[in-house]
Amino acid sequence: DSSVRCGHRYDYEIKALASGSSAVSWSDSQSVTVYDTIPPDRADIHQASVNQTGINNGEIALRFDGANQANRKGYAIYKAAANGIFVPYDTVYTNQQQGIGYIDTRAKTQDTRYAYYIRSFDSCGNTAKPSDTHQTIYLEADSENGYNQLNWTAYQGWNDRSYEIQRRQGN
């Protein structure tokens, strides 16, 4: 019986049917709880974008695809600030597989860049290998004599990328 879910209990009985008769005979019953030791597929981050700049209330949006196993239970999110050490940051409980969105609303995006990776986990407690790491762009702008100097850190997560600078004046 391969259409089972990890951690769930299943009860079984066998019913024998006599051909051409209404006679039946039942077996004893057996119960079994499913387990597995195989971790789910790893998550795949597609984007880590600063939605809102702020000292303490900046927002960073993550978009990712998760594991496709039936036993998937959720995703552990790890975060590092300014090339620091990754620490467990949050947990998202969902069995959604694609187009998952997460917003970090506790980021100091005005003066810090952040990196993230995600690990899928299943209902048996198995944890996948870490996703790829994505790091947000950190932009600095200085007013110089007659021009504005823009400097930024490279986006980390995609190997092949280019940049487009957008400018807005006033509101």
Side-chain angles (χ1 to χ4, degrees):
D1 183 4
S2 61
S3 61
V4 294
R5 299 196 74 156
C6 189
H8 290 111
R9 178 184 146 168
Y10 295 89
D11 301 313
Y12 295 94
E13 293 179 318
I14 304 296
K15 178 179 171 182
L17 304 160
S19 296
S21 168
S22 61
V24 297
S25 180
W26 289 92
S27 72
D28 60 331
S29 61
Q30 288 289 319
S31 297
V32 65
T33 301
V34 178
Y35 76 94
D36 78 46
T37 57
I38 301 169
D41 293 337
R42 70 181 214 144
D44 183 23
I45 299 176
H46 298 293
Q47 166 190 346
S49 293
V50 176
N51 278 0
Q52 178 176 311
T53 301
I55 294 294
N56 291 312
N57 62 343
E59 289 185 1
I60 296 174
L62 300 177
R63 301 284 301 161
F64 64 96
D65 289 339
N68 63 3
Q69 286 82 3
N71 289 327
R72 67 187 174 274
K73 185 173 183 181
Y75 305 93
I77 298 174
Y78 294 78
K79 178 179 175 180
N83 292 330
I85 297 171
F86 280 94
V87 295
Y89 182 67
D90 204 352
T91 304
V92 176
Y93 291 96
T94 181
N95 59 10
Q96 188 176 345
Q97 179 182 345
Q98 293 183 330
I100 303 166
Y102 174 82
I103 297 180
D104 178 1
T105 59
R106 297 172 286 166
K108 298 178 180 185
T109 55
Q110 186 165 332
D111 58 11
T112 306
R113 69 176 183 256
Y114 293 95
Y116 298 85
Y117 72 80
I118 297 171
R119 295 183 78 176
S120 306
F121 60 90
D122 64 20
S123 59
C124 272
N126 299 309
T127 304
K129 291 182 179 180
S131 70
D132 48 344
T133 299
H134 281 244
Q135 182 170 276
T136 58
I137 299 170
Y138 176 63
L139 172 65
E140 291 179 327
D142 294 315
S143 178
E144 301 292 339
N145 187 13
Y147 66 93
N148 294 327
Q149 177 69 41
L150 303 179
N151 297 299
W152 64 89
T153 61
Y155 181 85
Q156 293 179 9
W158 311 310
N159 292 330
D160 193 17
R161 65 184 164 272
S162 62
Y163 297 98
E164 178 181 287
I165 299 170
Q166 297 187 0
R167 182 178 80 171
R168 179 175 55 231
Q169 185 175 347
N171 291 330

